[in-house]
């Protein structure tokens, strides 16, 4: 997700439609996925809505949407939606329509609930008693079924199967504490947060304001950045007086490409207001007494781009520590260490550093092949693997290879890779996985398969090495993963710019342990 507030005119930020198009294209990588959103807001002189989709468009390959607003009273909305990747969903001439907007939000989608069709494409726009709102949502509501019934009892019809439309309609309902003629969006957002504990990060656009929200458990990420002069983008001396605008995104990795610098995270339960007056923290909704935060640990394992920052630490560094811990827990008698490109590379470097073995590349990745995890059937996933990698034979022929992967979900991807390496001359292939076995589905916004599809729950897991053709297979322990993640977290709750009483941190490990942070409702 991203949001911007800037006095710069639209034309100064995006002089050509092609620049907009290039700004939304991301890199292509490998395995589980969640939704992505983007928003921005400006002074009344205008601002570009730079749809970043977390700078990683592969996180949402099904559809993309943008809603721009003039920010006037009443505002005029311009909506663009399309199926597929951003560069196919939108044409250059379509983007010209966005130039008259003063603020906007955008979203790229990979469904975890709701079927893949245009009617489920975000952002959603609805009329309320006080005017239109637009909403973009990342996550999945754990009590969606009960909430759908509650909304329908109020006489509100739902036209899609998406949680995001449900959230939009809940925000449209007038809360008991609101004055009849004065919209209180903080009260409405708080009312939503009392109705559903997790999992969501939200962007809500109303007139000339955008609200950025994280659920009280902080399960999905949300970061704030500052737009600064290009000359100070890489300078440590850029202070808040150099701020030309603000941006909010699901990941901080998207900031640099639009000339922004990381500022801080939206805290769990926090409601942020972005307007022509800047960024203001309005409220922090607490969790039930005794409950720790539950930030998704899989963001560190695979999902996030390595240059993103969560909880005061870079994802790359965390993955490197995971590799070091893996080398301690699962040492190997081998000749070289390598990786399944690219998300496992930091862990492989950490493993090599800790074990003293040399790191070499054994696989060459075809960067023009999409993600295998989100292909709709097994055959397409297996074909995707077959054309995704080439073997760098000279680096490992006649040697024992330790191959580091970030995770093994179904087991379809790793087996052809092992076969490829052995046929190319590796005498042994030892698989070391920089995360624990995934045993449980995720109901909070990551499309992890059903329990029956997960390789860790199949009978073959008893001899996983034989099943996938490896010499040996070892996983990082849950305790090892948690210690690697939490070992580098700074005291992130003592920021004077926000009002929060807790300095505790915690992580959701439900896909690994089956212990969900809240009770699931069906």
């Amino acid at each position: 997700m991203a949001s911007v507030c800037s006095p710069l005119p639209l034309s100064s930020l995006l002089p050509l439609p092609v620049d907009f198009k290039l700004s939304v294209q991301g890199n292509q990588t490998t395995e589980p996925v969640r939704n992505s959103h983007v928003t921005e807001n400006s002074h009344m002189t205008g601002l570009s809505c730079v749809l970043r989709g977390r700078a990683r468009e592969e996180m949402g390959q099904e559809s993309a949407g943008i809603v721009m607003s003039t920010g006037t009273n009443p505002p005029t909305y311009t909506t663009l939606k399309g199926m597929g990747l951003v560069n196919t969903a939108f044409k250059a001439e379509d983007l010209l329509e966005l130039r008259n907007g003063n603020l906007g939000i955008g979203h790229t989608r990979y469904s975890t609930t709701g079927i893949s069709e245009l009617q489920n494409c975000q952002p959603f726009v609805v009329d309320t008693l006080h005017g239109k709102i637009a909403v973009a949502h990342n996550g999945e509501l754990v009590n969606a079924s009960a909430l759908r019934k509650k909304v329908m009892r109020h006489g509100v019809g739902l036209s899609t199967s998406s949680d995001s439309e449900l959230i939009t309609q809940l925000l449209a309902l007038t809360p008991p504490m609101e004055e009849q003629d004065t919209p209180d969006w903080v009260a409405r957002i708080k009312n939503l947060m009392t109705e559903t504990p997790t999992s969501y990060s939200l962007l809500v656009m109303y007139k000339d304001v955008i609200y950025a929200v994280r659920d009280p458990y902080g399960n999905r990420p949300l970061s704030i950045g500052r737009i600064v002069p290009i000359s100070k983008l890489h300078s440590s001396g850029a202070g808040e007086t150099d701020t030309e605008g603000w941006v909010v995104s699901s990941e901080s990795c998207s900031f640099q490409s639009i000339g922004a610098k990381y500022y801080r995270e939206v805290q769990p339960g926090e409601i942020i207001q972005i307007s022509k007056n800047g960024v203001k923290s309005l409220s922090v909704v607490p969790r039930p007494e005794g409950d720790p935060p539950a930030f998704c640990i899989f963001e560190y394992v695979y999902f996030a781009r390595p240059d993103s920052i969560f909880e005061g630490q870079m994802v790359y560094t965390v993955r490197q520590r995971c590799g070091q811990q893996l080398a301690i827990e699962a040492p190997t008698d081998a000749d070289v260490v390598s990786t399944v490109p690219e998300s496992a590379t930091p862990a492989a470097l950490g493993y090599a550093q800790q074990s003293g073995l040399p790191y070499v590349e054994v696989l060459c990745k075809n960067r023009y092949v999409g993600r295998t995890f989100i292909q709709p059937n097994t055959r397409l996933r297996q074909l995707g693997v077959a054309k995704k990698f080439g073997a760098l034979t000279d680096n490992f022929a006649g040697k024992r290879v330790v191959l580091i992967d970030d995770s093994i979900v179904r087991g379809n991807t790793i087996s052809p890779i092992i076969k490829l390496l052995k046929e190319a001359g590796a005498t042994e292939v030892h698989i070391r996985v920089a995360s624990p076995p995934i045993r449980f589905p995720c109901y909070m916004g990551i499309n992890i398969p059903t329990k029956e599809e997960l390789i860790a729950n199949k009978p073959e897991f008893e001899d996983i090495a034989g099943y996938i053709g490896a010499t040996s297979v070892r996983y990082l322990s849950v305790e090892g993963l948690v210690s690697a993640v939490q070992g580098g977290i700074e005291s992130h709750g003592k920021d004077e710019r926000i009002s929060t009483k807790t300095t505790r941190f915690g992580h959701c490990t439900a896909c690994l342990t089956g212990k969900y942070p809240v009770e699931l409702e069906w």
Side-chain angles (χ1 to χ4, degrees):
M1 237 191 281
S3 161
V4 180
C5 174
S6 170
L8 295 177
L10 178 59
S11 58
S12 70
L13 289 180
L14 287 177
L16 294 172
V18 68
D19 291 337
F20 186 101
K21 185 176 180 182
L22 289 174
S23 76
V24 301
Q25 295 186 61
N27 305 318
Q28 298 293 333
T29 27
T30 52
E31 290 208 0
V33 267
R34 67 163 157 77
N35 294 328
S36 298
H37 324 34
V38 146
T39 111
E40 73 206 83
N41 177 295
S42 76
H43 283 291
M44 296 309 292
T45 54
L47 168 77
S48 83
C49 178
V50 184
L51 178 65
R52 284 301 303 160
R54 297 175 57 222
R56 297 190 64 188
E57 187 180 20
E58 77 279 6
M59 293 304 182
Q61 294 189 4
E62 288 185 3
S63 64
I66 305 170
V67 176
M68 293 293 291
S69 170
T70 57
T72 54
N73 188 15
T76 300
Y77 280 59
T78 301
T79 301
L80 294 180
K81 293 185 179 182
M83 300 300 292
L85 296 172
V86 174
N87 61 346
T88 58
F90 305 136
K91 298 178 182 178
E93 54 267 30
D94 296 331
L95 301 177
L96 289 172
E97 300 178 27
L98 305 178
R99 286 178 171 267
N100 296 323
N102 287 331
L103 64 157
I105 62 177
H107 182 270
T108 60
R109 183 174 192 264
Y110 177 80
S111 58
T112 54
T113 60
I115 57 179
S116 178
E117 58 185 22
L118 190 59
Q119 70 174 13
N120 283 322
C121 179
Q122 297 187 50
F124 285 104
V125 179
V126 298
D127 283 304
T128 73
L129 184 63
H130 304 289
K132 288 186 176 183
I133 61 169
V135 178
H137 161 237
N138 173 22
E140 185 175 346
L141 303 184
V142 294
N143 59 339
S145 179
L147 287 176
R148 290 181 73 85
K149 293 177 182 177
K150 183 170 186 175
V151 167
M152 289 178 178
R153 287 193 191 101
H154 280 80
V156 176
L158 297 171
S159 59
T160 76
S161 55
S162 168
D163 284 359
S164 307
E165 185 198 16
L166 179 58
I167 289 172
T168 306
Q169 294 293 358
L170 284 167
L171 288 170
L173 295 177
T174 302
M177 66 287 293
E178 182 177 286
E179 297 286 340
Q180 185 173 0
D181 297 324
T182 306
D184 186 341
W185 290 103
V186 174
R188 290 180 181 225
I189 293 168
K190 284 184 175 181
N191 186 59
L192 169 70
M193 296 169 88
T194 60
E195 294 281 1
T196 183
T198 192
S199 159
Y200 48 89
S201 56
L202 301 175
L203 296 167
V204 181
M205 181 170 67
Y206 174 72
K207 292 186 178 178
D208 61 346
V209 173
I210 287 177
Y211 299 94
V213 183
R214 267 180 100 186
D215 74 59
Y217 288 86
N219 187 254
R220 303 262 65 86
L222 199 56
S223 295
I224 304 171
R226 297 185 297 119
I227 296 178
V228 298
I230 298 300
S231 61
K232 296 190 176 182
L233 184 59
H234 302 288
S235 169
S236 58
E240 290 193 29
T241 55
D242 298 307
T243 302
E244 295 180 345
W246 296 93
V247 58
V248 178
S249 176
S250 294
E251 284 188 42
S252 60
C253 65
S254 65
F255 294 157
Q256 184 168 303
S257 63
I258 56 171
K261 297 185 71 170
Y262 175 80
Y263 181 63
R264 72 169 177 91
E265 288 182 288
V266 178
Q267 295 298 302
E270 189 175 18
I271 304 171
I272 294 281
Q273 176 183 280
I274 305 170
S275 71
K276 62 184 179 182
N277 299 315
V279 171
K280 183 179 180 181
S281 180
L282 300 179
S283 184
V284 176
V285 176
R287 294 175 299 278
E289 187 67 30
D291 282 5
F295 180 53
C296 174
I297 207 163
F298 212 74
E299 294 281 352
Y300 286 113
V301 170
Y302 167 75
F303 211 36
R305 212 171 78 174
D307 54 337
S308 287
I309 297 172
F310 298 138
E311 302 175 304
Q313 56 185 347
M314 188 167 284
V315 171
Y316 183 98
T317 305
V318 174
R319 290 177 182 166
Q320 203 167 29
R321 287 201 301 268
C322 288
Q324 293 169 343
Q325 182 64 28
L326 182 61
I328 294 171
E329 294 184 6
T332 317
D333 188 12
D335 301 308
V336 296
V337 176
S338 194
T339 180
V340 178
E342 294 168 333
S343 56
T345 300
L349 290 169
Y351 191 100
Q353 181 184 31
Q354 182 68 36
S355 65
L357 295 172
Y359 173 84
V360 300
E361 292 184 352
V362 300
L363 295 169
C364 177
K365 185 177 181 181
N366 179 357
R367 298 177 185 274
Y368 301 99
V369 176
R371 300 163 66 93
T372 57
F373 181 86
I374 62 175
Q375 296 295 331
N377 61 52
T378 299
R379 175 175 171 78
L380 288 178
R381 282 191 293 270
Q382 292 172 337
L383 288 174
V385 170
K387 60 185 179 181
K388 180 176 286 189
F389 298 109
L392 300 173
T393 309
D394 289 352
N395 288 348
F396 64 89
K399 296 180 180 180
R400 300 166 296 173
V401 178
V402 182
L403 192 67
I404 309 298
D405 203 354
D406 50 35
S407 58
I408 298 179
V409 183
R410 295 183 176 95
N412 295 325
T413 305
I414 194 68
S415 185
I417 291 174
I418 296 168
K419 182 180 179 182
L420 174 67
L421 294 178
K422 286 187 173 181
E423 289 177 348
T427 58
E428 297 177 1
V429 179
H430 299 269
I431 301 299
R432 295 295 180 265
V433 187
S435 63
I438 299 173
R439 299 182 183 275
F440 301 90
C442 176
Y443 301 104
M444 289 171 286
I446 291 182
N447 191 42
I448 290 175
T450 62
K451 196 171 182 179
E452 292 72 25
E453 288 182 273
L454 297 168
I455 186 64
N457 294 327
K458 293 183 177 181
E460 294 86 351
F461 191 71
E462 295 299 320
D463 181 24
I464 181 68
Y467 179 68
I468 64 176
T471 307
S472 68
V473 178
R474 293 281 301 277
Y475 288 80
L476 183 64
S477 67
V478 174
E479 296 76 16
L481 173 62
V482 171
S483 67
V485 168
Q486 297 185 354
I489 294 178
E490 298 174 353
S491 180
H492 60 284
K494 298 179 180 180
D495 194 326
E496 295 178 357
R497 294 169 297 202
I498 60 174
S499 56
T500 177
K501 298 179 180 179
T502 178
T503 59
R504 294 186 303 163
F505 53 82
H507 297 89
C508 177
T509 59
C511 60
L512 312 174
T513 63
K515 297 178 180 178
Y516 297 91
V518 297
E519 184 177 349
L520 302 177
E521 297 182 22
W522 309 109

